[in-house]
Amino acid sequence: MTARKVLLLVIDGVSDRPCRELGGLTPLQAARTPVLDRMAAEGVSGIMDPISPGIRPGSDTSHLSLLGYPPEKYYTGRGPLEAEGTGIRMEPGMIGFRCNYATVDESGRVVDRRAGRIHHTGTLSSAVEDNVNLSSFGIEFILRSGVGHRAALAFRGEGLGACVTSNDPKREGVYPPPFTPLRDSAADRKTADALNEFIRQAVPLLTRHALNRERKEQGLPMANTILIRGAGQMGTFESFTERYGLSGSVISAATLITGIGTTIGLRYVPVAGATGSADTNLDGKVKAALDELNEQDFVLLNIKGADEAGHDGLAIEKKNFIEQVDTALEPLLDARDRLIVVCADHSTPCSIRDHSADPVPLVIRGDGVRTDAVTQFDEIACAQGGLNRISGGALMPIICDLINRTKKYGA
Ligand code: ZN
Ligand code: ZN
């Protein structure tokens, strides 16, 4: 028997370094994880440099690498992928940006960079789309509201560049700086000029909007400007199906990961109650992934909460969240005819509260896969496994080989 279908489970930022609060163990070592440990015992383990040794990955560059799209070739900044994940269909050449709704006072100073953590800004984004006009630049734009105060913006037009500054002053009580080109190029200047015009038209329009007048009456900060950053030009991506001959889906609460998935043609599967934090609907995500494999060949499932605990430096919370994840993974044990691949996209050590280049643990389990002597899923035990130490770019070739979907090299 050979497993034919693949679940790639990325437990975002789960791997770590020794934590003082855990007696010198990592959260994965300290957590009770019977399900992950059984997968390690029944599968083949290793450690993986998501990009290459010593390179500290972002979640975006790492996921591209794991999916077989080398980031040095495909990564053009966070903006276009975030825009795609927010629901904008990004075509090659379009410029994408990440946005925050924010509050400016009458003089134009930023008084709240998140507009009181406003929710449901959809009507504001529609009003801007309907009334702001960039046709003098030959630009069509799309503005989509995301979760909370977040949004995404995309420009479509000729001769646009993506090397421009942000108008986010990164602190309150000051004026947002104007957009400027980062290079002496007409394309970048055009994008910067169009962004300045966009803000010039959007602020009075937003300030007058009924939703903001209501917020003002209630003493809430108005969402009357947009802070824009992370500009990038959308590249050209061969689809996942063309590349591997596999159909696929993505399940993730993080718009960035969803955006990477849909960019390469994976089907986005929303899951009710998926939040991207420790309170997420883990059981729902695991069930959705298994259901999806009835139809599709491949599912990318990203679970985010451990990364958040790492960024907050909370080792005990991270360990506790890992135990919750482990419990939710129990249904995977019955899916022997599925190739289950569990890894992280990078380490997020609590001691540094950011991503590090430490390699991540990896286990692959399913019908036909070899086993090794590893019986625990953690950074230290997996290093003794049969996969040894691989780079992220080797993951998809190994997966495709284990499901018999590769062509022979030579005779
Ligand atoms: Zn990540
Ligand atoms: Zn992170």
Side-chain angles (χ1 to χ4, degrees):
M1 282 287 283
T2 302
R4 306 292 296 177
K5 297 189 168 198
V6 183
L7 173 61
L8 172 56
L9 167 60
V10 178
I11 312 178
D12 208 298
V14 72
S15 60
D16 210 298
R17 291 177 180 172
C19 296
R20 208 169 5 98
E21 302 90 318
L22 301 172
L25 298 178
T26 69
L28 260 180
Q29 284 181 301
R32 224 186 75 80
T33 53
V35 176
L36 286 166
D37 292 347
R38 203 177 126 194
M39 284 197 221
E42 295 176 358
V44 64
S45 298
I47 53 174
M48 176 168 67
D49 297 292
I51 296 174
S52 57
I55 303 295
R56 275 173 57 195
S59 288
D60 43 14
T61 48
S62 171
H63 277 76
L64 285 171
S65 181
L66 301 185
L67 292 164
Y69 295 80
E72 57 276 21
K73 176 166 177 213
Y74 286 95
Y75 187 62
T76 56
R78 187 165 172 172
L81 300 170
E82 196 81 53
E84 173 79 27
T86 310
I88 300 174
R89 185 67 262 201
M90 293 294 291
E91 294 148 20
M94 284 171 72
I95 312 290
F97 311 88
R98 309 169 64 199
C99 307
N100 276 9
Y101 275 98
T103 312
V104 284
D105 65 13
E106 272 149 38
S107 74
R109 283 194 190 90
V110 176
V111 292
D112 189 328
R113 288 181 56 249
R114 299 184 181 87
R117 293 194 176 267
I118 189 172
H119 283 278
H120 308 301
T121 61
T123 56
L124 298 177
S125 297
S126 308
V128 170
E129 277 199 336
D130 292 344
N131 295 292
V132 170
N133 188 332
L134 298 179
S135 59
S136 61
F137 294 89
I139 292 174
E140 282 176 58
F141 74 88
I142 304 161
L143 178 66
R144 282 279 176 285
S145 291
V147 177
H149 58 282
R150 297 191 186 89
L153 174 67
F155 281 0
R156 187 195 287 118
E158 293 296 310
L160 293 172
C163 286
V164 294
T165 60
S166 163
N167 69 336
D168 185 350
K170 293 279 162 91
R171 60 198 173 97
E172 280 142 15
V174 294
Y175 296 103
F179 297 94
T180 53
L182 284 164
R183 301 177 301 191
D184 186 19
S185 95
D188 297 329
R189 200 171 314 115
K190 181 172 170 181
T191 301
D193 290 348
L195 286 166
N196 286 320
E197 177 61 18
F198 176 84
I199 291 296
R200 197 190 65 77
Q201 293 181 35
V203 171
L205 179 92
L206 288 168
T207 305
R208 286 194 307 269
H209 192 280
L211 178 70
N212 275 324
R213 289 207 308 268
E214 219 171 276
R215 285 179 72 82
K216 196 175 181 190
E217 274 164 29
Q218 293 167 351
L220 295 170
M222 292 195 282
N224 59 356
T225 195
I226 302 174
L227 301 177
I228 302 172
R229 63 193 189 284
Q233 186 155 34
M234 189 65 176
T236 306
F237 290 79
E238 184 190 14
S239 81
F240 188 82
T241 303
E242 278 163 6
R243 183 161 291 200
Y244 301 113
L246 303 171
S247 61
S249 300
V250 56
I251 300 175
S252 167
T255 49
L256 187 58
I257 308 305
T258 306
I260 288 171
T262 59
T263 289
I264 60 170
L266 300 181
R267 193 173 97 88
Y268 168 57
V269 182
V271 175
T275 60
S277 294
D279 62 355
T280 194
N281 177 7
L282 289 170
D283 295 331
K285 288 178 87 165
V286 171
K287 180 175 186 311
L290 286 174
D291 287 351
E292 199 61 16
L293 282 176
N294 293 327
E295 308 297 325
Q296 307 279 43
D297 299 319
F298 177 94
V299 171
L300 167 64
L301 170 61
N302 174 287
I303 293 177
K304 190 80 185 163
D307 178 57
E308 202 175 61
H311 282 288
D312 292 339
L314 301 171
I316 292 164
E317 281 75 359
K318 190 167 178 181
K319 166 189 156 290
N320 292 342
F321 181 72
I322 291 167
E323 293 181 348
Q324 284 177 46
V325 172
D326 189 78
T327 305
L329 296 181
E330 205 181 335
L332 302 185
L333 292 174
D334 295 331
R336 289 237 49 140
D337 55 340
R338 308 297 192 221
L339 195 75
I340 311 281
V341 183
V342 186
C343 63
D345 54 343
H346 48 76
S347 302
T348 310
C350 295
S351 55
I352 62 167
R353 299 181 172 218
D354 203 345
H355 304 178
S356 74
D358 297 278
V360 302
L362 164 71
V363 63
I364 305 180
R365 180 253 202 194
D367 280 336
V369 176
R370 291 179 186 172
T371 55
D372 54 27
V374 177
T375 57
Q376 279 172 335
F377 182 76
D378 64 55
E379 302 86 340
I380 315 306
C382 286
Q384 306 300 319
L387 288 168
N388 301 133
R389 182 168 181 165
I390 65 167
S391 72
L395 185 62
M396 281 306 300
I398 290 172
I399 288 173
C400 289
D401 180 55
L402 288 172
I403 59 171
N404 282 350
R405 297 294 279 257
T406 44
K407 288 200 187 76
K408 184 156 61 176
Y409 176 52

